[in-house]
Amino acid sequence: MTERQETELSAIGNVDEEKRSQPSSKRRAGSSSSNRSRISDEASSAASYAGNNSEGSIRKQSILFRLKRALHLRNDLPPGFTYDYKIEQIVRSLDEYPVGYGKLAAIVGSDPSFLIYRKFSWLHNRVLLHYQDELAELEYELEALDQDDFQVDDKLLISRRRDDGRLKGSRRKELLKEIDGKLSEYQELLLRLQRLQQMKRPSERNQTSVFNMINNTGSLVTMERDWIQNGPDLIAVVQDQEHGWLNGFLEDTLNKISRKATMAVFRTQEQKKISGSEQVVLLSLTRLDILLRIIVTTIAAALLLVPVLILFKLQPNVARQSAHQSAHNSNLQILVIFLFTLVFSASCSIFTKARRQEVFTATAAYCAVLVVFLGNASNGYG
Protein backbone atom coordinates (compact mmCIF):
# COMPACT_ATOMS: atom_id res chain seq x y z
CA MET A 1 0.00 0.00 0.00
CA THR A 2 1.33 3.31 -0.98
CA GLU A 3 1.70 6.35 1.17
CA ARG A 4 -1.13 8.13 -0.68
CA GLN A 5 -3.61 5.31 0.02
CA GLU A 6 -2.67 5.27 3.70
CA THR A 7 -3.38 9.01 3.87
CA GLU A 8 -6.83 8.60 2.26
CA LEU A 9 -7.78 5.74 4.60
CA SER A 10 -6.67 7.85 7.56
CA ALA A 11 -8.86 10.75 6.41
CA ILE A 12 -11.88 8.47 5.93
CA GLY A 13 -11.37 7.06 9.43
CA ASN A 14 -11.30 10.52 10.93
CA VAL A 15 -14.52 11.42 9.13
CA ASP A 16 -16.25 8.29 10.41
CA GLU A 17 -15.02 8.99 13.88
CA GLU A 18 -16.43 12.55 13.71
CA LYS A 19 -19.77 11.20 12.48
CA ARG A 20 -19.87 8.70 15.34
CA SER A 21 -18.95 11.31 17.90
CA GLN A 22 -21.37 14.01 16.64
CA PRO A 23 -24.65 12.43 17.90
CA SER A 24 -23.23 11.83 21.33
CA SER A 25 -22.17 15.46 21.61
CA LYS A 26 -25.60 16.59 20.49
CA ARG A 27 -27.15 14.25 23.01
CA ARG A 28 -24.88 15.64 25.69
CA ALA A 29 -25.82 19.20 24.67
CA GLY A 30 -29.54 18.35 24.71
CA SER A 31 -29.17 16.64 28.05
CA SER A 32 -27.34 19.60 29.55
CA SER A 33 -29.96 22.06 28.21
CA SER A 34 -32.83 20.00 29.64
CA ASN A 35 -30.99 19.87 32.95
CA ARG A 36 -30.56 23.62 32.90
CA SER A 37 -34.25 24.16 32.09
CA ARG A 38 -35.29 21.79 34.88
CA ILE A 39 -33.01 23.58 37.32
CA SER A 40 -34.36 26.95 36.22
CA ASP A 41 -37.95 25.73 36.66
CA GLU A 42 -37.14 24.47 40.12
CA ALA A 43 -35.44 27.73 40.94
CA SER A 44 -38.38 29.76 39.68
CA SER A 45 -40.85 27.64 41.65
CA ALA A 46 -38.70 28.00 44.73
CA ALA A 47 -38.47 31.73 44.19
CA SER A 48 -42.26 31.92 43.72
CA TYR A 49 -42.83 29.96 46.91
CA ALA A 50 -40.36 32.14 48.76
CA GLY A 51 -42.06 35.23 47.33
CA ASN A 52 -45.45 34.06 48.49
CA ASN A 53 -44.06 33.30 51.91
CA SER A 54 -42.36 36.69 52.05
CA GLU A 55 -45.57 38.46 51.05
CA GLY A 56 -47.48 36.57 53.73
CA SER A 57 -44.85 37.36 56.31
CA ILE A 58 -44.84 41.02 55.27
CA ARG A 59 -48.61 41.09 55.55
CA LYS A 60 -48.45 39.49 58.97
CA GLN A 61 -45.73 41.89 60.00
CA SER A 62 -47.82 44.78 58.71
CA ILE A 63 -50.83 43.67 60.76
CA LEU A 64 -48.69 43.19 63.85
CA PHE A 65 -47.03 46.54 63.23
CA ARG A 66 -50.36 48.30 62.99
CA LEU A 67 -51.63 46.56 66.10
CA LYS A 68 -48.54 47.50 68.07
CA ARG A 69 -48.73 51.03 66.75
CA ALA A 70 -52.40 51.32 67.75
CA LEU A 71 -51.60 50.01 71.24
CA HIS A 72 -48.46 52.19 71.51
CA LEU A 73 -46.26 49.11 72.05
CA ARG A 74 -43.51 50.03 69.62
CA ASN A 75 -40.57 52.04 70.83
CA ASP A 76 -38.34 51.70 67.77
CA LEU A 77 -39.35 55.08 66.34
CA PRO A 78 -36.93 57.55 64.79
CA PRO A 79 -36.13 60.63 66.84
CA GLY A 80 -38.82 63.27 66.53
CA PHE A 81 -41.59 60.81 65.58
CA THR A 82 -44.54 60.05 67.81
CA TYR A 83 -47.93 58.40 67.68
CA ASP A 84 -49.48 61.04 69.87
CA TYR A 85 -51.54 63.08 67.41
CA LYS A 86 -52.84 65.61 69.93
CA ILE A 87 -52.56 69.09 68.46
CA GLU A 88 -51.33 71.88 70.68
CA GLN A 89 -54.00 74.56 70.72
CA ILE A 90 -53.19 78.24 70.32
CA VAL A 91 -55.06 80.10 73.05
CA ARG A 92 -54.99 83.89 73.37
CA SER A 93 -55.44 85.41 76.78
CA LEU A 94 -57.71 88.38 77.40
CA ASP A 95 -54.64 90.21 78.68
CA GLU A 96 -53.28 90.37 75.12
CA TYR A 97 -56.09 92.65 73.92
CA PRO A 98 -56.00 96.39 74.56
CA VAL A 99 -58.83 97.90 76.54
CA GLY A 100 -61.69 98.80 74.23
CA TYR A 101 -63.96 97.15 71.75
CA GLY A 102 -61.27 94.58 70.96
CA LYS A 103 -61.17 93.30 74.53
CA LEU A 104 -64.96 93.36 74.73
CA ALA A 105 -65.18 91.27 71.54
CA ALA A 106 -62.73 88.76 73.04
CA ILE A 107 -64.75 88.59 76.27
CA VAL A 108 -68.04 88.06 74.43
CA GLY A 109 -66.45 85.36 72.27
CA SER A 110 -64.94 83.50 75.23
CA ASP A 111 -68.24 81.83 76.13
CA PRO A 112 -71.33 81.11 73.99
CA SER A 113 -73.67 82.40 76.71
CA PHE A 114 -72.06 85.86 76.41
CA LEU A 115 -73.18 86.30 72.76
CA ILE A 116 -75.79 88.95 73.54
CA TYR A 117 -76.76 91.75 71.17
CA ARG A 118 -79.57 94.20 70.52
CA LYS A 119 -82.14 93.34 67.89
CA PHE A 120 -83.25 96.99 67.36
CA SER A 121 -86.90 96.07 67.25
CA TRP A 122 -88.04 99.71 67.15
CA LEU A 123 -85.87 100.51 64.15
CA HIS A 124 -87.04 97.45 62.26
CA ASN A 125 -90.67 98.30 62.91
CA ARG A 126 -90.11 101.97 62.03
CA VAL A 127 -88.61 101.10 58.66
CA LEU A 128 -91.29 98.48 58.02
CA LEU A 129 -94.03 101.00 58.70
CA HIS A 130 -92.35 103.43 56.29
CA TYR A 131 -92.14 100.80 53.55
CA GLN A 132 -95.70 99.76 54.27
CA ASP A 133 -97.05 103.27 53.78
CA GLU A 134 -95.03 103.77 50.60
CA LEU A 135 -96.47 100.55 49.20
CA ALA A 136 -99.96 101.64 50.18
CA GLU A 137 -99.42 104.91 48.31
CA LEU A 138 -98.18 103.08 45.21
CA GLU A 139 -101.12 100.70 45.47
CA TYR A 140 -103.55 103.64 45.51
CA GLU A 141 -101.79 105.19 42.51
CA LEU A 142 -102.00 101.95 40.52
CA GLU A 143 -105.70 101.55 41.27
CA ALA A 144 -106.39 105.15 40.22
CA LEU A 145 -104.45 104.62 36.98
CA ASP A 146 -106.50 101.53 36.19
CA GLN A 147 -109.74 103.42 36.79
CA ASP A 148 -108.69 106.32 34.55
CA ASP A 149 -107.64 104.04 31.68
CA PHE A 150 -110.83 102.04 32.00
CA GLN A 151 -112.88 105.22 31.64
CA VAL A 152 -110.98 106.14 28.49
CA ASP A 153 -111.01 102.69 26.86
CA ASP A 154 -112.66 99.71 28.51
CA LYS A 155 -110.66 97.36 26.26
CA LEU A 156 -107.27 98.72 27.28
CA LEU A 157 -106.76 96.76 30.48
CA ILE A 158 -107.41 93.37 28.91
CA SER A 159 -104.17 93.48 26.89
CA ARG A 160 -100.77 94.22 28.37
CA ARG A 161 -99.19 94.47 24.90
CA ARG A 162 -101.71 97.06 23.80
CA ASP A 163 -101.15 99.02 26.97
CA ASP A 164 -97.36 99.00 26.55
CA GLY A 165 -97.58 99.82 22.86
CA ARG A 166 -99.30 103.16 23.20
CA LEU A 167 -97.58 106.15 21.63
CA LYS A 168 -97.26 108.09 24.87
CA GLY A 169 -96.11 105.03 26.73
CA SER A 170 -97.63 103.53 29.84
CA ARG A 171 -97.06 104.82 33.34
CA ARG A 172 -98.28 101.45 34.59
CA LYS A 173 -95.12 99.61 33.55
CA GLU A 174 -92.81 102.00 35.42
CA LEU A 175 -95.14 101.96 38.40
CA LEU A 176 -95.09 98.15 38.59
CA LYS A 177 -91.28 98.14 38.53
CA GLU A 178 -91.21 100.62 41.39
CA ILE A 179 -93.71 98.53 43.36
CA ASP A 180 -91.64 95.39 42.78
CA GLY A 181 -88.53 97.06 44.19
CA LYS A 182 -90.37 98.30 47.26
CA LEU A 183 -91.96 94.90 47.84
CA SER A 184 -88.55 93.20 47.73
CA GLU A 185 -87.14 95.57 50.35
CA TYR A 186 -90.25 95.25 52.50
CA GLN A 187 -90.32 91.45 52.41
CA GLU A 188 -86.58 91.11 53.06
CA LEU A 189 -86.80 93.30 56.14
CA LEU A 190 -89.95 91.49 57.26
CA LEU A 191 -88.23 88.08 57.06
CA ARG A 192 -85.17 89.39 58.92
CA LEU A 193 -87.40 90.65 61.70
CA GLN A 194 -89.14 87.28 61.84
CA ARG A 195 -85.82 85.48 62.37
CA LEU A 196 -84.84 87.97 65.07
CA GLN A 197 -88.13 87.53 66.88
CA GLN A 198 -87.57 83.77 67.00
CA MET A 199 -84.39 84.33 69.02
CA LYS A 200 -85.05 84.31 72.73
CA ARG A 201 -84.14 86.90 75.27
CA PRO A 202 -80.98 86.11 77.26
CA SER A 203 -81.27 85.05 80.84
CA GLU A 204 -80.87 87.71 83.48
CA ARG A 205 -77.84 85.84 84.78
CA ASN A 206 -75.99 86.04 81.44
CA GLN A 207 -77.00 89.66 80.94
CA THR A 208 -75.66 90.54 84.36
CA SER A 209 -72.41 88.69 83.67
CA VAL A 210 -71.75 90.68 80.49
CA PHE A 211 -72.68 93.93 82.23
CA ASN A 212 -70.25 93.25 85.08
CA MET A 213 -67.43 92.33 82.70
CA ILE A 214 -67.91 95.55 80.72
CA ASN A 215 -67.78 97.61 83.88
CA ASN A 216 -64.89 95.70 85.48
CA THR A 217 -62.65 95.83 82.41
CA GLY A 218 -63.54 99.42 81.49
CA SER A 219 -63.81 98.43 77.84
CA LEU A 220 -66.47 101.02 76.96
CA VAL A 221 -67.28 104.55 78.00
CA THR A 222 -70.44 105.11 80.00
CA MET A 223 -72.43 106.44 77.05
CA GLU A 224 -71.73 103.36 74.93
CA ARG A 225 -72.23 100.66 77.53
CA ASP A 226 -75.92 101.20 78.28
CA TRP A 227 -76.98 98.91 75.41
CA ILE A 228 -76.57 95.89 77.69
CA GLN A 229 -79.29 97.33 79.95
CA ASN A 230 -81.93 97.20 77.20
CA GLY A 231 -83.26 93.86 78.40
CA PRO A 232 -86.46 93.63 76.30
CA ASP A 233 -84.50 94.49 73.16
CA LEU A 234 -81.70 91.95 73.68
CA ILE A 235 -81.35 88.57 72.01
CA ALA A 236 -79.14 85.57 72.77
CA VAL A 237 -77.41 84.21 69.67
CA VAL A 238 -76.94 80.80 71.33
CA GLN A 239 -79.91 79.39 73.15
CA ASP A 240 -79.52 77.91 76.61
CA GLN A 241 -79.00 74.20 76.89
CA GLU A 242 -81.66 71.80 78.08
CA HIS A 243 -80.70 72.45 81.69
CA GLY A 244 -79.59 76.06 81.24
CA TRP A 245 -81.08 77.55 84.38
CA LEU A 246 -80.19 74.41 86.34
CA ASN A 247 -76.57 74.82 85.28
CA GLY A 248 -76.66 78.36 86.62
CA PHE A 249 -78.29 77.26 89.86
CA LEU A 250 -75.75 74.46 90.26
CA GLU A 251 -72.86 76.84 89.56
CA ASP A 252 -74.11 79.35 92.15
CA THR A 253 -74.57 76.60 94.71
CA LEU A 254 -71.07 75.22 94.13
CA ASN A 255 -69.56 78.71 94.38
CA LYS A 256 -71.29 79.25 97.71
CA ILE A 257 -69.92 75.95 99.02
CA SER A 258 -66.35 76.47 97.80
CA ARG A 259 -65.43 78.84 95.00
CA LYS A 260 -61.84 77.64 94.93
CA ALA A 261 -62.82 73.99 94.59
CA THR A 262 -65.36 74.85 91.90
CA MET A 263 -62.75 76.68 89.85
CA ALA A 264 -60.30 73.81 90.25
CA VAL A 265 -62.73 71.09 89.19
CA PHE A 266 -65.00 72.73 86.62
CA ARG A 267 -62.55 74.99 84.78
CA THR A 268 -60.32 73.66 82.02
CA GLN A 269 -56.73 74.70 81.38
CA GLU A 270 -57.82 76.43 78.20
CA GLN A 271 -60.37 78.54 80.05
CA LYS A 272 -57.75 79.38 82.66
CA LYS A 273 -55.42 80.67 79.93
CA ILE A 274 -58.21 82.70 78.33
CA SER A 275 -59.19 84.39 81.59
CA GLY A 276 -55.68 85.53 82.39
CA SER A 277 -55.66 88.19 85.07
CA GLU A 278 -59.14 89.45 84.20
CA GLN A 279 -61.98 88.83 86.62
CA VAL A 280 -63.82 86.61 84.13
CA VAL A 281 -65.17 83.34 85.49
CA LEU A 282 -65.31 80.68 82.77
CA LEU A 283 -66.49 77.20 83.69
CA SER A 284 -66.80 74.12 81.53
CA LEU A 285 -70.43 73.56 80.62
CA THR A 286 -69.60 69.96 79.73
CA ARG A 287 -68.36 69.17 83.23
CA LEU A 288 -71.31 70.94 84.83
CA ASP A 289 -73.67 69.03 82.59
CA ILE A 290 -72.08 65.70 83.59
CA LEU A 291 -72.62 66.48 87.28
CA LEU A 292 -76.16 67.60 86.57
CA ARG A 293 -76.92 64.41 84.65
CA ILE A 294 -75.67 62.38 87.60
CA ILE A 295 -77.99 64.32 89.92
CA VAL A 296 -80.97 63.97 87.56
CA THR A 297 -80.33 60.24 87.16
CA THR A 298 -80.17 59.82 90.94
CA ILE A 299 -83.45 61.70 91.37
CA ALA A 300 -85.11 59.60 88.65
CA ALA A 301 -84.00 56.37 90.33
CA ALA A 302 -85.16 57.65 93.73
CA LEU A 303 -88.57 58.61 92.34
CA LEU A 304 -89.03 55.02 91.22
CA LEU A 305 -87.50 53.09 94.11
CA VAL A 306 -88.55 55.17 97.11
CA PRO A 307 -92.32 54.93 96.52
CA VAL A 308 -91.97 51.19 95.85
CA LEU A 309 -90.23 50.77 99.20
CA ILE A 310 -92.87 52.88 101.00
CA LEU A 311 -95.72 50.98 99.37
CA PHE A 312 -94.09 47.73 100.36
CA LYS A 313 -93.79 48.88 103.99
CA LEU A 314 -97.40 50.09 104.06
CA GLN A 315 -98.76 46.87 102.61
CA PRO A 316 -101.65 45.82 104.92
CA ASN A 317 -101.44 42.44 106.60
CA VAL A 318 -104.92 41.03 107.26
CA ALA A 319 -103.60 38.33 109.58
CA ARG A 320 -101.75 40.68 111.91
CA GLN A 321 -103.62 44.01 111.59
CA SER A 322 -107.12 45.04 112.32
CA ALA A 323 -109.56 46.04 109.61
CA HIS A 324 -109.25 49.70 110.58
CA GLN A 325 -105.46 49.62 110.41
CA SER A 326 -105.54 47.84 107.05
CA ALA A 327 -107.92 50.45 105.62
CA HIS A 328 -105.70 53.23 106.96
CA ASN A 329 -102.61 51.73 105.30
CA SER A 330 -104.50 51.36 102.03
CA ASN A 331 -105.41 55.05 102.13
CA LEU A 332 -101.80 55.94 102.82
CA GLN A 333 -100.69 53.89 99.82
CA ILE A 334 -103.05 55.81 97.55
CA LEU A 335 -101.76 59.08 99.00
CA VAL A 336 -98.15 57.99 98.39
CA ILE A 337 -98.90 57.17 94.76
CA PHE A 338 -100.59 60.54 94.29
CA LEU A 339 -97.76 62.54 95.87
CA PHE A 340 -94.95 60.79 94.02
CA THR A 341 -96.83 61.01 90.73
CA LEU A 342 -97.18 64.74 91.31
CA VAL A 343 -93.47 65.04 92.10
CA PHE A 344 -92.59 63.02 89.00
CA SER A 345 -94.72 65.22 86.76
CA ALA A 346 -93.16 68.36 88.24
CA SER A 347 -89.66 66.91 87.76
CA CYS A 348 -90.35 66.18 84.09
CA SER A 349 -91.49 69.78 83.59
CA ILE A 350 -88.54 71.28 85.48
CA PHE A 351 -85.59 69.10 84.51
CA THR A 352 -86.51 68.55 80.85
CA LYS A 353 -87.94 70.50 77.93
CA ALA A 354 -90.62 67.92 77.27
CA ARG A 355 -93.86 69.11 75.73
CA ARG A 356 -97.15 68.92 77.60
CA GLN A 357 -98.33 65.74 75.92
CA GLU A 358 -94.96 64.09 76.58
CA VAL A 359 -95.14 65.03 80.26
CA PHE A 360 -98.69 63.68 80.44
CA THR A 361 -97.67 60.38 78.78
CA ALA A 362 -94.65 59.89 81.05
CA THR A 363 -96.72 60.70 84.15
CA ALA A 364 -99.41 58.21 83.16
CA ALA A 365 -96.79 55.50 82.60
CA TYR A 366 -95.16 56.23 85.96
CA CYS A 367 -98.48 56.10 87.79
CA ALA A 368 -99.34 52.83 86.01
CA VAL A 369 -96.08 51.25 87.21
CA LEU A 370 -96.84 52.12 90.82
CA VAL A 371 -100.44 50.91 90.57
CA VAL A 372 -99.36 47.61 89.00
CA PHE A 373 -96.80 47.11 91.77
CA LEU A 374 -99.44 47.85 94.40
CA GLY A 375 -101.85 45.36 92.82
CA ASN A 376 -99.26 42.61 92.56
CA ALA A 377 -98.13 43.17 96.14
CA SER A 378 -101.72 43.06 97.40
CA ASN A 379 -102.37 39.80 95.56
CA GLY A 380 -99.20 38.35 97.01
CA TYR A 381 -100.23 39.18 100.55
CA GLY A 382 -103.79 38.13 99.96
Side-chain angles (χ1 to χ4, degrees):
M1 183 179 295
T2 62
E3 185 177 355
R4 180 178 179 182
Q5 291 177 345
E6 292 178 358
T7 305
E8 291 177 355
L9 290 174
S10 172
I12 293 172
N14 293 334
V15 171
D16 293 338
E17 186 177 359
E18 290 179 357
K19 288 181 179 179
R20 287 193 302 268
S21 63
Q22 185 175 2
S24 62
S25 63
K26 289 182 177 180
R27 286 195 298 270
R28 287 193 299 271
S31 176
S32 61
S33 62
S34 62
N35 292 333
R36 286 195 299 270
S37 63
R38 186 173 64 254
I39 293 172
S40 63
D41 293 339
E42 294 176 355
S44 61
S45 62
S48 175
Y49 178 77
N52 294 333
N53 287 341
S54 63
E55 290 179 359
S57 61
I58 291 174
R59 191 180 299 111
K60 292 181 180 178
Q61 290 178 1
S62 177
I63 295 174
L64 292 175
F65 178 80
R66 292 177 183 176
L67 181 61
K68 290 181 179 181
R69 183 178 63 181
L71 298 177
H72 299 275
L73 299 178
R74 294 185 61 89
N75 296 324
D76 54 344
L77 294 175
F81 287 84
T82 179
Y83 290 128
D84 189 4
Y85 298 107
K86 186 177 180 180
I87 302 175
E88 184 179 358
Q89 303 295 329
I90 299 176
V91 181
R92 295 190 62 182
S93 173
L94 296 178
D95 298 333
E96 301 179 16
Y97 298 92
V99 177
Y101 274 94
K103 182 180 285 292
L104 178 59
I107 293 174
V108 171
S110 62
D111 192 279
S113 60
F114 297 158
L115 296 175
I116 301 174
Y117 299 96
R118 287 190 61 185
K119 60 183 177 182
F120 293 102
S121 179
W122 182 84
L123 288 179
H124 280 88
N125 292 321
R126 183 66 179 84
V127 177
L128 279 173
L129 290 173
H130 181 76
Y131 284 160
Q132 178 180 270
D133 187 67
E134 285 185 340
L135 287 170
E137 187 178 2
L138 293 173
E139 181 185 20
Y140 176 80
E141 184 179 353
L142 180 61
E143 290 179 353
L145 184 60
D146 288 344
Q147 291 293 336
D148 293 341
D149 289 342
F150 182 78
Q151 295 296 330
V152 174
D153 186 0
D154 58 354
K155 304 294 184 182
L156 186 62
L157 297 179
I158 63 175
S159 175
R160 181 196 60 80
R161 298 179 183 179
R162 184 178 178 185
D163 183 42
D164 293 343
R166 288 186 292 178
L167 295 177
K168 295 182 179 180
S170 176
R171 162 65 180 158
R172 187 176 291 101
K173 186 175 183 179
E174 297 178 359
L175 186 59
L176 288 173
K177 288 184 178 180
E178 186 177 356
I179 291 174
D180 180 63
K182 290 294 181 182
L183 281 175
S184 298
E185 296 176 356
Y186 178 78
Q187 292 172 357
E188 182 182 357
L189 184 58
L190 194 64
L191 293 175
R192 290 207 307 264
L193 181 59
Q194 181 189 24
R195 290 194 296 268
L196 286 176
Q197 292 298 332
Q198 291 175 352
M199 296 182 180
K200 295 183 179 181
R201 179 177 174 176
S203 63
E204 186 176 355
R205 172 188 175 85
N206 294 335
Q207 181 184 359
T208 304
S209 298
V210 176
F211 176 79
N212 292 333
M213 286 186 292
I214 293 175
N215 289 335
N216 294 336
T217 58
S219 299
L220 300 179
V221 296
T222 305
M223 185 181 298
E224 299 181 17
R225 72 177 63 166
D226 59 351
W227 64 270
I228 192 61
Q229 298 175 262
N230 291 274
D233 197 48
L234 295 177
I235 56 173
V237 178
V238 180
Q239 302 299 327
D240 289 338
Q241 296 180 348
E242 183 179 2
H243 310 295
W245 71 271
L246 286 175
N247 285 342
F249 176 77
L250 181 61
E251 181 180 344
D252 292 339
T253 304
L254 293 174
N255 285 330
K256 290 179 180 179
I257 296 175
S258 176
R259 182 180 180 86
K260 185 177 181 180
T262 302
M263 299 291 286
V265 175
F266 294 97
R267 187 169 67 166
T268 62
Q269 293 295 326
E270 182 176 315
Q271 291 174 330
K272 188 181 298 184
K273 293 180 181 178
I274 293 176
S275 300
S277 61
E278 297 291 344
Q279 298 298 322
V280 179
V281 179
L282 299 176
L283 298 180
S284 175
L285 296 179
T286 303
R287 298 183 181 182
L288 287 173
D289 190 65
I290 291 174
L291 178 60
L292 189 58
R293 288 180 184 276
I294 294 174
I295 296 175
V296 171
T297 303
T298 305
I299 293 176
L303 286 176
L304 187 61
L305 297 178
V306 171
V308 169
L309 180 61
I310 296 176
L311 292 175
F312 182 79
K313 292 294 184 181
L314 293 176
Q315 190 65 33
N317 192 338
V318 180
R320 297 181 180 179
Q321 296 178 349
S322 62
H324 177 73
Q325 185 66 26
S326 298
H328 179 69
N329 288 349
S330 299
N331 294 332
L332 289 178
Q333 286 179 331
I334 296 175
L335 181 61
V336 168
I337 293 177
F338 171 75
L339 292 177
F340 275 93
T341 303
L342 184 63
V343 173
F344 178 82
S345 179
S347 300
C348 289
S349 301
I350 294 174
F351 293 107
T352 66
K353 288 187 177 181
R355 294 175 294 182
R356 286 188 294 270
Q357 58 268 28
E358 295 173 346
V359 173
F360 180 81
T361 303
T363 303
Y366 177 80
C367 183
V369 170
L370 296 182
V371 171
V372 169
F373 171 80
L374 180 61
N376 293 335
S378 300
N379 293 332
Y381 271 93

